[in-house]
Amino acid sequence: MALPAARAGIAPINWGASLMFVLTSLVAITVVPWYGITHGYHAAAWIWFTLFLGANGMAITCGYHRLFAHCTYEAHPLLKFAYLLFGAMALQNSALNWAAGHRVHHRFIDDPERDPYCARRGFWFSHIGWMLRSYPSGEPDFTAVRDLQRDPMVMWQHNHYLFAALSTNFGLPLLIGYLSGDVWGVFLLAGVLRLVASHHFTFFINSLAHMWGSQPYTDQNTARDNPIVALLTYGEGYHNFHHMFAHDYRNGLHWWQWDPSKWFISGMRVFGLTRNLKRVPWFKIQRALLDTQFQRAERKLASLPGRAHIEHLRGRIAEEYEAFTTAVAEWARLREQWLEDTKRAMVERWEHSNLQVRLRELEYGLRLQYRRMRVLQAQLG
């Protein structure tokens, strides 16, 4: 006699999610192109497809992820409402459920037993497979989101999620289609195709961004910086930086890195819709970069024959790393002292200025040491 799925050690199928993914995907690859060939799509259908795709993506990245899951900034209630509305339209569960799972992912990253979408279990599992069955690791841990449970707007969306999801995914496209004179065209593009594209673009963060890309800030987990994924996910592809500095409102650190979510959050501050944007101090970022480079250099040197110039390089790298860590410690000590003196207002103006000058000198020295480390690493080939 066959054992039930749960008793046999196989997680039971999550029929709701499975049917939703299968049906929407089938319509997207069959009905959508058939309707385009036989009837054609009006420009309005493509415009609303683009607008809703962008609104869903930004609601997930700026709202679900950077605001609710990581609290990297504060948002005005109007902006939070927009995030919650279009986040429900993205059909990725309520913000409370989403944030609970994501915080657990960060806490237990790459742990096959506890990470909800562990990349070490393969591309399919981390991309979509983890939602197709009711795995124990996928059960939401609401103890991780006590703060969000105290937010009335988050709880309103959580308690009315089904209504919000259905009304935005069916009612909104059908209403816009009726008003624009292309009911089925708008529904198929702005409703179905938009949903399928939004899903898989977001899922690439859990799969591709843990398997393909660079690891400049840490190689202690699978997260990677992937500019192509960033292009599809409004900046979320700089995932190595994010997993190292999850409480920074930015994912793309540099101005040239594609991160429209960062630009949107920063831009909304001008209108009073965002505030208290959190940024990781520069020296912590530089230390993470140098730590990773030093560890890689050590591993590479350990694999090379012990020739004289190799030993010389090993010594140079060790000296530079020690000098860098000493400077970082001194920078941190002086910065803490400066902040403390500012709070207490117990130091004279000239002492305060002298600390600032010393901090700037140390920052300049840190930059030079970082560049020298890069030169030394380049000599390793």
Short mmCIF file of all heavy atoms in Angstrom, two decimals, residues 293-317:
data_model
loop_
_atom_site.label_atom_id
_atom_site.label_comp_id
_atom_site.label_asym_id
_atom_site.label_seq_id
_atom_site.Cartn_x
_atom_site.Cartn_y
_atom_site.Cartn_z
N GLN A 293 39.38 39.80 -1.10
CA GLN A 293 40.55 39.73 -1.96
C GLN A 293 41.73 39.09 -1.23
O GLN A 293 42.48 38.29 -1.81
CB GLN A 293 40.94 41.12 -2.44
CG GLN A 293 39.93 41.71 -3.41
CD GLN A 293 40.18 43.18 -3.69
OE1 GLN A 293 41.17 43.73 -3.23
NE2 GLN A 293 39.27 43.80 -4.41
N PHE A 294 41.89 39.42 0.05
CA PHE A 294 42.99 38.84 0.82
C PHE A 294 42.82 37.33 0.96
O PHE A 294 43.77 36.57 0.78
CB PHE A 294 43.03 39.48 2.20
CG PHE A 294 44.11 38.95 3.09
CD1 PHE A 294 45.44 39.31 2.91
CD2 PHE A 294 43.82 38.04 4.11
CE1 PHE A 294 46.44 38.80 3.72
CE2 PHE A 294 44.80 37.53 4.93
CZ PHE A 294 46.12 37.91 4.74
N GLN A 295 41.60 36.87 1.25
CA GLN A 295 41.34 35.44 1.39
C GLN A 295 41.60 34.70 0.08
O GLN A 295 42.19 33.61 0.08
CB GLN A 295 39.91 35.21 1.86
CG GLN A 295 39.65 35.67 3.28
CD GLN A 295 38.17 35.78 3.62
OE1 GLN A 295 37.31 35.33 2.85
NE2 GLN A 295 37.86 36.37 4.76
N ARG A 296 41.19 35.31 -1.03
CA ARG A 296 41.45 34.68 -2.33
C ARG A 296 42.94 34.64 -2.64
O ARG A 296 43.45 33.66 -3.19
CB ARG A 296 40.69 35.42 -3.42
CG ARG A 296 39.19 35.17 -3.38
CD ARG A 296 38.45 36.04 -4.35
NE ARG A 296 37.02 35.75 -4.31
CZ ARG A 296 36.07 36.55 -4.76
NH1 ARG A 296 36.41 37.72 -5.32
NH2 ARG A 296 34.80 36.21 -4.69
N ALA A 297 43.64 35.73 -2.31
CA ALA A 297 45.08 35.76 -2.54
C ALA A 297 45.78 34.70 -1.71
O ALA A 297 46.70 34.02 -2.18
CB ALA A 297 45.62 37.15 -2.21
N GLU A 298 45.35 34.54 -0.46
CA GLU A 298 45.94 33.52 0.40
C GLU A 298 45.72 32.12 -0.17
O GLU A 298 46.63 31.28 -0.17
CB GLU A 298 45.32 33.61 1.80
CG GLU A 298 45.90 34.72 2.66
CD GLU A 298 47.28 34.36 3.15
OE1 GLU A 298 47.41 33.49 4.03
OE2 GLU A 298 48.26 34.94 2.63
N ARG A 299 44.50 31.85 -0.65
CA ARG A 299 44.21 30.53 -1.22
C ARG A 299 45.05 30.29 -2.47
O ARG A 299 45.54 29.17 -2.70
CB ARG A 299 42.72 30.41 -1.52
CG ARG A 299 41.84 30.33 -0.29
CD ARG A 299 40.45 29.83 -0.63
NE ARG A 299 39.71 30.76 -1.47
CZ ARG A 299 38.88 31.67 -1.00
NH1 ARG A 299 38.68 31.81 0.31
NH2 ARG A 299 38.22 32.48 -1.82
N LYS A 300 45.20 31.33 -3.29
CA LYS A 300 45.97 31.15 -4.52
C LYS A 300 47.45 30.95 -4.21
O LYS A 300 48.11 30.10 -4.81
CB LYS A 300 45.78 32.37 -5.42
CG LYS A 300 46.43 32.20 -6.79
CD LYS A 300 45.93 33.22 -7.78
CE LYS A 300 46.48 32.93 -9.18
NZ LYS A 300 45.96 33.88 -10.18
N LEU A 301 47.97 31.73 -3.24
CA LEU A 301 49.38 31.58 -2.87
C LEU A 301 49.65 30.20 -2.29
O LEU A 301 50.70 29.60 -2.52
CB LEU A 301 49.77 32.65 -1.86
CG LEU A 301 49.97 34.07 -2.42
CD1 LEU A 301 50.12 35.07 -1.29
CD2 LEU A 301 51.19 34.10 -3.33
N ALA A 302 48.68 29.68 -1.53
CA ALA A 302 48.87 28.37 -0.91
C ALA A 302 48.96 27.26 -1.96
O ALA A 302 49.56 26.21 -1.71
CB ALA A 302 47.72 28.08 0.05
N SER A 303 48.38 27.51 -3.14
CA SER A 303 48.39 26.48 -4.19
C SER A 303 49.61 26.59 -5.10
O SER A 303 49.82 25.72 -5.95
CB SER A 303 47.12 26.59 -5.04
OG SER A 303 47.11 27.81 -5.78
N LEU A 304 50.41 27.64 -4.93
CA LEU A 304 51.58 27.85 -5.80
C LEU A 304 52.84 27.31 -5.14
O LEU A 304 52.94 27.26 -3.91
CB LEU A 304 51.75 29.34 -6.10
CG LEU A 304 50.62 30.01 -6.91
CD1 LEU A 304 50.88 31.50 -7.01
CD2 LEU A 304 50.52 29.39 -8.31
N PRO A 305 53.84 26.92 -5.94
CA PRO A 305 55.12 26.46 -5.38
C PRO A 305 55.78 27.58 -4.57
O PRO A 305 55.60 28.77 -4.86
CB PRO A 305 55.96 26.11 -6.62
CG PRO A 305 54.96 25.93 -7.72
CD PRO A 305 53.82 26.85 -7.41
N GLY A 306 56.55 27.22 -3.58
CA GLY A 306 57.15 28.21 -2.67
C GLY A 306 58.37 28.89 -3.23
O GLY A 306 59.45 28.78 -2.65
N ARG A 307 58.24 29.57 -4.36
CA ARG A 307 59.38 30.31 -4.91
C ARG A 307 59.57 31.61 -4.14
O ARG A 307 58.69 32.08 -3.44
CB ARG A 307 59.14 30.60 -6.40
CG ARG A 307 59.10 29.31 -7.25
CD ARG A 307 59.08 29.66 -8.73
NE ARG A 307 57.84 30.32 -9.09
CZ ARG A 307 56.75 29.70 -9.49
NH1 ARG A 307 56.74 28.37 -9.55
NH2 ARG A 307 55.66 30.36 -9.82
N ALA A 308 60.74 32.21 -4.31
CA ALA A 308 61.10 33.39 -3.52
C ALA A 308 60.14 34.55 -3.75
O ALA A 308 59.71 35.20 -2.80
CB ALA A 308 62.54 33.81 -3.86
N HIS A 309 59.80 34.82 -5.02
CA HIS A 309 58.95 35.96 -5.28
C HIS A 309 57.54 35.73 -4.77
O HIS A 309 56.82 36.66 -4.43
CB HIS A 309 58.95 36.30 -6.78
CG HIS A 309 58.12 35.38 -7.62
ND1 HIS A 309 58.57 34.14 -8.00
CD2 HIS A 309 56.87 35.52 -8.14
CE1 HIS A 309 57.64 33.55 -8.74
NE2 HIS A 309 56.59 34.36 -8.84
N ILE A 310 57.12 34.44 -4.69
CA ILE A 310 55.81 34.13 -4.13
C ILE A 310 55.80 34.45 -2.64
O ILE A 310 54.85 35.05 -2.12
CB ILE A 310 55.45 32.64 -4.36
CG1 ILE A 310 55.31 32.37 -5.87
CG2 ILE A 310 54.17 32.27 -3.62
CD1 ILE A 310 54.16 33.12 -6.51
N GLU A 311 56.87 34.05 -1.95
CA GLU A 311 56.97 34.35 -0.52
C GLU A 311 57.04 35.85 -0.28
O GLU A 311 56.49 36.35 0.70
CB GLU A 311 58.20 33.65 0.08
CG GLU A 311 58.09 32.14 0.09
CD GLU A 311 56.85 31.66 0.83
OE1 GLU A 311 56.53 32.23 1.88
OE2 GLU A 311 56.18 30.74 0.32
N HIS A 312 57.70 36.55 -1.18
CA HIS A 312 57.78 38.01 -1.05
C HIS A 312 56.39 38.63 -1.19
O HIS A 312 56.01 39.51 -0.41
CB HIS A 312 58.72 38.58 -2.12
CG HIS A 312 58.76 40.08 -2.14
ND1 HIS A 312 59.32 40.82 -1.12
CD2 HIS A 312 58.28 40.97 -3.06
CE1 HIS A 312 59.19 42.12 -1.41
NE2 HIS A 312 58.57 42.23 -2.58
N LEU A 313 55.66 38.15 -2.19
CA LEU A 313 54.29 38.64 -2.36
C LEU A 313 53.42 38.31 -1.16
O LEU A 313 52.61 39.13 -0.71
CB LEU A 313 53.67 38.01 -3.61
CG LEU A 313 53.91 38.71 -4.94
CD1 LEU A 313 53.27 37.91 -6.07
CD2 LEU A 313 53.32 40.12 -4.93
N ARG A 314 53.59 37.12 -0.62
CA ARG A 314 52.81 36.74 0.55
C ARG A 314 53.08 37.70 1.71
O ARG A 314 52.16 38.15 2.40
CB ARG A 314 53.16 35.31 0.97
CG ARG A 314 52.23 34.75 2.05
CD ARG A 314 52.82 33.48 2.64
NE ARG A 314 53.01 32.45 1.65
CZ ARG A 314 52.07 31.58 1.29
NH1 ARG A 314 50.89 31.64 1.85
NH2 ARG A 314 52.31 30.66 0.38
N GLY A 315 54.34 38.03 1.90
CA GLY A 315 54.69 38.96 2.97
C GLY A 315 54.13 40.35 2.73
O GLY A 315 53.62 41.00 3.65
N ARG A 316 54.24 40.81 1.48
CA ARG A 316 53.70 42.14 1.16
C ARG A 316 52.19 42.21 1.40
O ARG A 316 51.68 43.19 1.95
CB ARG A 316 53.98 42.46 -0.32
CG ARG A 316 55.43 42.83 -0.62
CD ARG A 316 55.74 44.28 -0.22
NE ARG A 316 54.78 45.22 -0.75
CZ ARG A 316 54.77 45.69 -1.99
NH1 ARG A 316 55.68 45.25 -2.87
NH2 ARG A 316 53.86 46.58 -2.38
N ILE A 317 51.49 41.17 0.94
CA ILE A 317 50.03 41.16 1.11
C ILE A 317 49.67 41.14 2.58
O ILE A 317 48.75 41.85 3.02
CB ILE A 317 49.43 39.94 0.37
CG1 ILE A 317 49.52 40.16 -1.14
CG2 ILE A 317 47.97 39.71 0.79
CD1 ILE A 317 49.11 38.97 -1.96
#
